[in-house]
Amino acid sequence: MTDTVEPSIHQLHPSNDRGYAFAIYALYALGFFTIITTIVGLIIAHVKATTASGVWLSHFQFQIRTFWIGLLYFIAGFALLYFFVGVPIILWWTIWTLIRIIKGAILLHDKRPIAAPASWLFG
C-alpha cells in the first residue's frame, strides 16, 4: 500500500509574485507618460499584497506606499505651482519616484526584500 500525497494548492499553481512586482515597477515607470498604468499597478499591488509573503510582500507594500506618498507630493506641487514653489516639489517628486522604482527593481532582481517598505523617504 502506497501513500500518495496530494499536492497543495501552492504546488499546483506556483506563485509568480516576483513577475507581478517587476510588472508593477514597469507600470509605475510608464506612469510618467500615461497615468492609467500607475493606477493599474496600484490595483495589482493591492490585490497581490493580500496573498504575498516575505520578500514579495515587502515589495508590494513599498509599491503601494510609493503611489500614495507620490500622489501627495504631486498634488502639493501642482497646487503650489501658482506660487512657484510647486516646481521644486514636482521635481523632487520625479526624482524621488524614480529612485524608488529603480531601487525596488534592483532589489527585486536580486531577490532581496525592501528593508523598510513603510518608509516615507527612501525606504
Side-chain angles (χ1 to χ4, degrees):
M1 176 178 201
T2 60
D3 289 328
T4 59
V5 177
E6 291 193 26
S8 71
I9 185 101
H10 296 292
Q11 292 169 337
L12 291 174
H13 303 287
S15 175
N16 188 16
D17 288 343
R18 184 173 181 227
Y20 281 108
F22 267 126
I24 294 165
Y25 285 123
L27 289 169
Y28 278 12
L30 286 172
F32 286 107
F33 308 104
T34 61
I35 297 168
I36 191 71
T37 61
T38 306
I39 295 168
V40 170
L42 175 69
I43 293 168
I44 294 170
H46 272 289
V47 169
K48 294 305 293 177
T50 61
T51 59
S53 62
V55 172
W56 319 128
L57 178 60
S58 74
H59 283 277
F60 295 131
Q61 290 172 336
F62 183 71
Q63 291 164 336
I64 292 167
R65 184 71 108 191
T66 298
F67 175 86
W68 290 113
I69 296 169
L71 182 64
L72 290 175
Y73 280 141
F74 184 78
I75 290 171
F78 190 76
L80 294 171
L81 277 175
Y82 180 75
F83 302 104
F84 302 106
V85 180
V87 173
I89 294 173
I90 290 178
L91 181 62
W92 164 252
W93 164 77
T94 304
I95 294 167
W96 177 85
T97 303
L98 284 172
I99 288 170
R100 287 179 66 103
I101 290 169
I102 293 167
K103 175 187 176 181
I106 289 170
L107 289 174
L108 184 63
H109 179 267
D110 295 341
K111 297 181 183 175
R112 294 176 28 210
I114 301 292
S119 173
W120 278 87
L121 193 56
F122 291 108

